Amino acid sequence: MKILACNSNRPLAEAVAAALHLKLATASVRRFADLEIFVEVHENVRGEDVFVIQSTSYPANDHMMELLITCDALRRASARRITAVIPYFGYARQDRKAGPRTPISAKLVANLITQAGANRVLTLDLHAGQIQGFFDIPVDNLAAEPMFARDIRSHFNGRDIMIVSPDVGGVVRARAIATRLNCDLAIIDKRRERAGVSEVMNVIGDVRGKDCILVDDIVDSGGTLCNAAVALMGNGAKSASAYITHGVLSGNAAERIAASPIECMTITDSILPTEAVLQSRNLRVFSIAPVLAEAMQRISDESSVSSLFD
Ligand code: R5P
């Protein structure tokens, strides 16, 4: 088993390698003057079970090309099996034709990864589970939900909690956590009544006096969660916190979250946290390295990955 890190999240790859008592394989990713990417693997990988760790996060296109080119290099170097470990799978939000003459980019990206030589994919909380079907190779889609449930139990011990889905699309994920924690679920129904008029946030469920915990897969601009927190507090919630798998946090999202009523937002390190995130008053980063490492070990040993979540 060999682990190779591309450039999107080296600290996570190092933590995974340390958990497996391995060293990262030596490779370099360089640029030509016109910014073309060139990858060179500096050690023999012939016949090896190789795991390439790369989140296709910002800058998404560069990180995607690094992953594709690395898979190509490994395939041509006769690696026995290549697993693309993609903690955050970018382009996942483009998983259907959103309108006439629009692409399904998540499918295109799945094709590219497969064509580049990946034999399997290991990822975390895909935006939509059915994206697994875009690949004709095995996909293990890990869930942050059991880790989040354990963390919520210890951090909110003794508090009257309620899990909240910030939109109708996230109900299944939120309900799964509420069921694990044996607590109630509320849903925020966002609606824009007319173009140019701000969104109306209807809270479905009685959140009065509750410590509300918003659960979602992605925080990008932070708009969805900040508005949801305002709506919850406006409906009498005692506090609003959040557990989100992928901290995309584009632009000034960290500042926006710091200025919101959110007590604490926990994200994972599926995407490398920026300095603004690390310094923020109410963002907290939770490492997925142990669970990724365990899943990789099980893939290598050909043992069950799903039983990790029992
Ligand atoms: C949407 O379907 C996702 O689950 C997130 O709710 C969304 O991507 C969050 O985006 P933003 O933080 O920009 O509101």
Side-chain angles (χ1 to χ4, degrees), residues 124 143-152 268 286-288 291 309:
L124 174 73
E145 170 206 313
M147 295 177 274
F148 282 171
R150 268 197 301 278
D151 197 69
I152 291 170
T268 78
F286 181 101
S287 184
I288 49 154
V291 75
F309 302 104

Side-chain angles (χ1 to χ4, degrees), residues 93-133:
R93 286 173 283 181
Q94 299 184 49
D95 59 354
R96 65 196 174 285
K97 275 191 80 163
R101 297 171 297 283
T102 58
I104 306 182
S105 307
K107 169 64 179 153
L108 171 66
V109 165
N111 287 347
L112 291 170
I113 292 169
T114 311
Q115 284 303 312
N119 302 109
R120 56 186 307 134
V121 169
L122 172 63
T123 186
L124 174 73
D125 274 349
L126 277 173
H127 180 59
Q130 56 271 30
I131 292 172
Q132 288 171 88

